[in-house]
Amino acid sequence: EEKQKKSPTAREKAKKKERKKISRDKAREEKARELLGIDQSNGFLGNLTPEQEKVLQQVKQALIGVPGLEQFTDADYLRFCRARKFVAPKAIQMAQGYGEWYVQIGQQAASLPAGRGLLDRGAGFHLGHDRAGRPTIFMFPRFHDPSRSDDAIRDFVCLMFRVVSNMRPP
């Protein structure tokens, strides 16, 4: 007697398809969390490994007195450490670059109406936060005037600076 293969019923097919979808969605969510740095298992205040704590102290010591970084807290230093995977020289270099930028442009950006030019041209605006609490900025490139690129970049930096400075810590 040969066993006949049972063909899956429509219900079994639907269940299998749903399991695949759930598995795929979980994988996408994990990848998004990894890319966005949402995983707070370590690298954040109160949850640092000894190696990460050592890098944080190195970065803080190296950046004492750097213009533009006077008001930095441990959370600010940790942003640069996480961005450079806790490699101290790279985090220091990135923070120094930020300090230079802040002295040249950032102080102006903090005092300008954030992205006013973008709003006036209808090219972009900040509109609240998404479900995860991240700020949302909407941009409409069709309203961009290439002859005003420098203004557009400045306005976008101002808008980003304002939005980021108002973000809640993770």
Side-chain angles (χ1 to χ4, degrees), residues 41-118:
S41 58
N42 62 29
F44 290 85
L45 283 178
N47 202 9
L48 296 173
T49 66
E51 297 84 20
Q52 291 171 338
E53 184 68 41
K54 183 179 175 185
V55 170
L56 173 61
Q57 295 308 320
Q58 290 173 348
V59 170
K60 283 173 61 175
Q61 288 299 315
L63 296 173
I64 291 175
V66 173
L69 307 181
E70 297 87 0
Q71 303 296 319
F72 264 33
T73 64
D74 285 356
D76 295 316
Y77 291 118
L78 278 172
R79 275 193 353 234
F80 293 103
C81 292
R82 283 192 306 272
R84 294 297 173 242
K85 307 277 190 218
F86 285 90
V87 176
K90 290 182 178 182
I92 292 166
Q93 181 182 9
M94 184 180 189
Q96 286 172 332
Y98 172 82
E100 291 171 12
W101 171 85
Y102 185 78
V103 167
Q104 293 174 355
I105 299 169
Q107 292 170 334
Q108 296 170 2
S111 63
L112 293 174
R116 185 66 201 179
L118 291 174

Side-chain angles (χ1 to χ4, degrees), residues 7 18 22 31 37 47 109 122-123 131 147 160:
S7 63
E18 183 64 25
I22 290 171
K31 185 65 174 174
N47 202 9
R131 290 182 183 154
S147 68
M160 288 295 298

Side-chain angles (χ1 to χ4, degrees), residues 112-170:
L112 293 174
R116 185 66 201 179
L118 291 174
L119 294 172
D120 292 344
R121 291 188 300 279
F125 58 92
H126 172 240
L127 185 65
H129 297 82
D130 66 7
R131 290 182 183 154
R134 298 175 300 241
T136 55
I137 296 177
F138 293 89
M139 300 299 295
F140 301 99
R142 70 175 182 247
F143 296 120
H144 173 65
D145 179 3
S147 68
R148 298 184 63 195
S149 288
D150 291 341
D151 293 338
I153 291 169
R154 187 200 65 233
D155 291 340
F156 181 72
V157 168
C158 291
L159 179 62
M160 288 295 298
F161 185 82
R162 183 65 53 132
V163 168
V164 169
S165 66
N166 291 327
M167 284 179 65
R168 296 176 301 235

